[in-house]
Amino acid sequence: MEGNLRRAVAELAAALGPLGVAGLYRTRAITPDPQPPYLNTAVTGRTDLGAEALLALAKRLEREAGRRPGPRFTARPLDIDLLLLGDLILDRPGLTVPHPRLAERRFVLAPLAELAADWRVPPRGETVAELLARVGQEEDVERLAIIFPGFP
């Protein structure tokens, strides 16, 4: 799992340029079936790519990590979500930006806040830090001491 994250971040950096990379978080799987914990992080960068091109890149990296189509909430070797793209608001089949559950998920907001606490999330304009404060503390989101040495 950690190897898949390392490869994905390296590939994203190769495609997009320098990235900010948050620390690593271990999160209990939020699924109806028992699964091992997930590892989560967030990356930030600048790009001229549009949302569809970024989604295609994410899906390619997921496939290369061994992800195959299957039922929702099943274990997967890599899951890349496009959380924000500037102030873009987009709602199309298969692609919604900002991510539709961003404001509800501490395991997403905690690493994102390390990199972009003051970013405003459309459409309401709340900051990432404000959203994180509102979701409260969950015991199932644990920041790990390791921070992926050698990440771009």
Side-chain angles (χ1 to χ4, degrees), residues 135-150:
V135 297
Q137 299 291 324
E138 295 177 13
E139 294 178 18
D140 61 349
V141 178
E142 174 190 9
R143 189 176 193 290
L144 302 176
I146 55 174
I147 305 182
F148 282 159

Side-chain angles (χ1 to χ4, degrees), residues 4 61-68 77:
N4 286 337
L61 295 174
E62 290 175 347
R63 282 191 309 275
E64 289 174 359
R67 184 166 178 176
R68 300 294 174 255

